[in-house]
Amino acid sequence: MIDPRLLRSDPDLVRAGLISRGVSSSTIDELIALEAQGRTLDGERDDVRAQVNALSKQIGELHRDGRGDEAGELQAQSRSLGDAEKAIDERATTIGDALRRRLLELPNLPSPDAPDGSGEDANVVVRIEGFDEGRYGEHHRVPHWESAVELGILDLERAAKISGAMFVLYRGRGARLQRALVQFGLDRNADAFEEVRPPTMVRTDTLMSTGQLPKFADDAYHLERDDLWAIPTAEVPLTSLYRDEVLAETDLPVRLMAHTSCFRREAGSAGRDTRGLLRLHEFDKVEILAYATPDQAHDMHAELLRRAEGAIADLGLPYRILDLCTGDLGISSARTFDIEVYAPGADRWLEVSSVSWFSDYQARRANIRFRPTGGKGTELVHTLNGSGLAVPRVWAALVETYRRADGSIEIPEVLHPYMGGTTVIPGPV
RNA sequence: GGAGAGGUGGCCGAGUCAGGUUGAAGGCGCUUCCCUGCUAAGGAAGUAACUGCCGUAAGGUGGUUCGAGGGUUCAAAUCCCUCCCUCUCCGCCA
């Protein structure tokens, strides 16, 4: 959530930021009007309440002095004030709710550093690493949904039988490879990040805090009977880990990582990327996440990007880094770098990590603050996160990139310690 | 799933089954100061968050918050309803 006070203290800033993200000018006008209206009503209501409180206090004193029978007139007065308060309060609540509802659906203000633009085409390619079109032979141009299925390490048909389209079943060395990637993703960040294994089913409030609700309810799995949601990413429970808490400045930055399954309905993308591992309803991911002071946020963003990028680079996969334009940012993000890996079989760049800085947008929703050392009061933290390793797309890119002419698949060296002696997945017999 | 007991400030813990100067006794912790050769002990004061308005500021002045949300009342930590969480016992279970 953006700071509602900004609406009145710096409406131009809010307007510029939101318009660059595709929010209409009239929506912003309405918000500013609602905010002003609500504030006036709140003031009126508080004044009446103050009078009621003062009268009640007087009545209390009369009772205390044993003169309760003299309180009748004051009570009548207070009662009529109370009726007036009720009327104002109703209007104030209506407007307050309307404002809150809209604020919750409003995206974050983009960082001034984020490139301006509205669609994917406006994203800036920061750099491309390790990509050489000419290095690929015929044997690389086989998509994983063919090669891996042929090798028996991926069983898409049975996954569909069991759970439906866009679910996956890894087998044998394929399953081992998926587990190896998870371990690799965790171990390489264990120097600084605390490993967490959070719940993967969460309450509505938890999903609200990170921004998936209320706007994107259709994208998440919901267990109606128990009113629980399946997490789309470990960002969700990790961000709520310190919800409604006040940290000491000396605690910051807090670095957390978690491996979880991630569940996505992909309601808006029916029919797209349905082949193989490109887009799944359930997949494994190692998430890295940090809480930071506003001063630490910039460096932390760079650190998360460096770590996410390092994993891909160490696996020997070609990748590129995109600086997302304002119009392509996720709702909660102020700035995002995407890492896309090149998959030669599918011949596509696959997004494998979104490294985002959320400024205080999520922290305001989740009410996560810190107490500045030596300072007064509390301040909202900044939250940041990125995929340390999103398994299926990396798995796919590895299988395609490391495919040899005989159809076997070489395992990159950094994964050898996790593969129980397997350095090559043998080709078809 | 059944039965019972609870959720109060940074922490512990009164207050609730007589509704009224109770934003909340007392203690611990913390901060500042005093005392002491140092430390310990002792003494004094201060010590919640969010938020509206006024003020350059220090601050002043309203409002809200005693698990959450509703209700009763002139007035709710205290009474009523719903929900959440914790603990104990029983049942079930990896």
Side-chain angles (χ1 to χ4, degrees):
Chain A
M1 198 159 82
I2 65 165
D3 187 352
R5 276 170 296 197
L6 267 184
L7 283 172
R8 61 173 186 272
S9 64
D10 202 345
D12 293 339
L13 179 88
V14 174
R15 187 181 299 276
L18 291 181
I19 281 178
S20 80
R21 305 208 45 174
V23 178
S24 77
S25 190
S26 61
T27 300
I28 299 163
D29 289 337
E30 281 173 43
L31 279 166
I32 291 172
L34 273 178
E35 197 278 335
Q37 224 178 325
R39 193 155 34 94
T40 307
L41 284 171
D42 285 347
E44 287 175 22
R45 182 193 52 198
D46 287 355
D47 287 345
V48 180
R49 273 191 191 159
Q51 293 179 55
V52 171
N53 287 346
L55 284 171
S56 294
K57 202 170 194 176
Q58 283 179 41
I59 295 166
E61 279 162 16
L62 285 175
H63 278 285
R64 198 154 259 249
D65 299 346
R67 297 189 293 152
D69 46 321
E70 297 171 34
E73 197 186 323
L74 291 177
Q75 283 185 21
Q77 213 179 325
S78 183
R79 192 176 306 133
S80 75
L81 278 170
D83 292 342
E85 194 251 62
K86 208 167 219 169
I88 299 173
D89 185 50
E90 242 166 67
R91 285 197 292 152
T93 305
T94 306
I95 289 184
D97 286 351
L99 180 64
R100 207 163 309 117
R101 216 170 25 244
R102 282 162 192 245
L103 282 173
L104 282 173
E105 294 196 351
L106 218 57
N108 197 1
L109 295 175
S111 157
D113 298 328
D116 206 43
S118 61
E120 271 180 40
D121 298 341
N123 294 337
V124 173
V125 178
V126 179
R127 59 177 186 276
I128 302 180
E129 303 284 349
F131 180 61
D132 174 11
E133 188 89 65
R135 104 182 200 200
Y136 298 108
E138 274 301 299
H139 59 282
H140 288 121
R141 297 303 186 180
V142 182
H144 63 276
W145 55 83
E146 290 172 12
S147 59
V149 167
E150 190 185 14
L151 292 182
I153 57 175
L154 187 66
D155 192 338
L156 295 171
E157 264 179 49
R158 291 197 177 86
K161 174 171 74 180
I162 296 166
S163 297
M166 295 168 79
F167 282 91
V168 68
L169 192 150
Y170 303 98
R171 304 187 73 149
R173 293 187 175 95
R176 180 73 188 232
L177 177 59
Q178 109 94 32
R179 179 155 61 89
L181 285 170
V182 168
Q183 306 244 95
F184 169 71
L186 287 169
D187 284 356
R188 66 196 327 283
N189 292 304
D191 59 310
F193 286 69
E194 181 192 353
E195 184 172 347
V196 174
R197 177 40 251 234
T200 50
M201 300 214 301
V202 301
R203 294 168 188 262
T204 301
D205 284 349
T206 305
L207 216 51
M208 196 75 82
S209 293
T210 19
Q212 283 82 12
L213 291 180
K215 220 177 166 182
F216 303 107
D218 286 348
D219 292 329
Y221 286 101
H222 183 217
L223 284 79
E224 206 161 329
R225 211 178 145 103
D226 300 290
D227 196 18
L228 286 168
W229 303 78
I231 60 167
T233 157
E235 162 192 347
V236 168
L238 290 185
T239 302
S240 275
L241 202 121
Y242 288 115
R243 176 146 49 101
D244 292 321
E245 295 193 32
V246 181
L247 304 167
E249 182 171 359
T250 48
D251 293 339
L252 297 170
V254 172
R255 293 178 178 88
L256 303 172
M257 63 176 174
H259 158 232
T260 66
S261 286
C262 303
F263 302 90
R264 301 184 178 182
R265 289 190 68 236
E266 300 292 352
S269 52
R272 264 196 313 175
D273 306 335
T274 49
R275 316 233 36 197
L277 306 179
L278 298 183
R279 192 176 291 275
L280 298 169
H281 287 313
E282 176 184 352
F283 65 96
D284 281 61
K285 178 158 68 68
V286 173
E287 184 77 359
I288 51 179
L289 177 143
Y291 299 71
T293 68
D295 288 343
Q296 295 166 341
H298 184 84
D299 287 351
M300 183 53 72
H301 198 188
E303 177 182 338
L304 294 181
L305 178 61
R306 195 168 59 242
R307 285 174 178 272
E309 179 181 353
I312 301 303
D314 288 354
L315 288 168
L317 296 171
Y319 64 93
R320 65 183 185 186
I321 293 179
L322 268 44
D323 190 352
L324 295 197
C325 72
T326 51
D328 209 26
L329 288 171
I331 184 171
S332 303
S333 181
R335 188 146 193 229
T336 296
F337 294 103
D338 271 6
I339 301 173
E340 294 187 336
V341 83
Y342 181 70
D347 189 24
R348 294 182 42 168
W349 293 92
L350 305 177
E351 180 191 328
V352 292
S353 186
S354 263
V355 184
S356 299
W357 167 51
F358 302 101
S359 61
D360 60 13
Y361 183 93
Q362 293 181 330
R364 183 169 291 104
R365 284 170 169 250
N367 189 222
I368 307 166
R369 292 164 295 160
F370 72 98
R371 208 177 294 283
T373 308
K376 283 182 94 174
T378 57
E379 217 176 310
L380 292 165
V381 303
H382 279 197
T383 55
L384 308 102
N385 67 50
S387 319
L389 208 143
V391 172
R393 289 179 182 169
V394 172
W395 192 100
L398 283 175
V399 163
E400 295 180 6
T401 304
Y402 284 91
R403 187 163 190 269
R404 302 193 292 202
D406 63 357
S408 64
I409 293 160
E410 188 187 335
I411 301 296
E413 207 172 317
V414 288
L415 292 180
H416 287 181
Y418 302 104
M419 285 300 288
T422 300
T423 57
V424 173
I425 298 177
V429 212

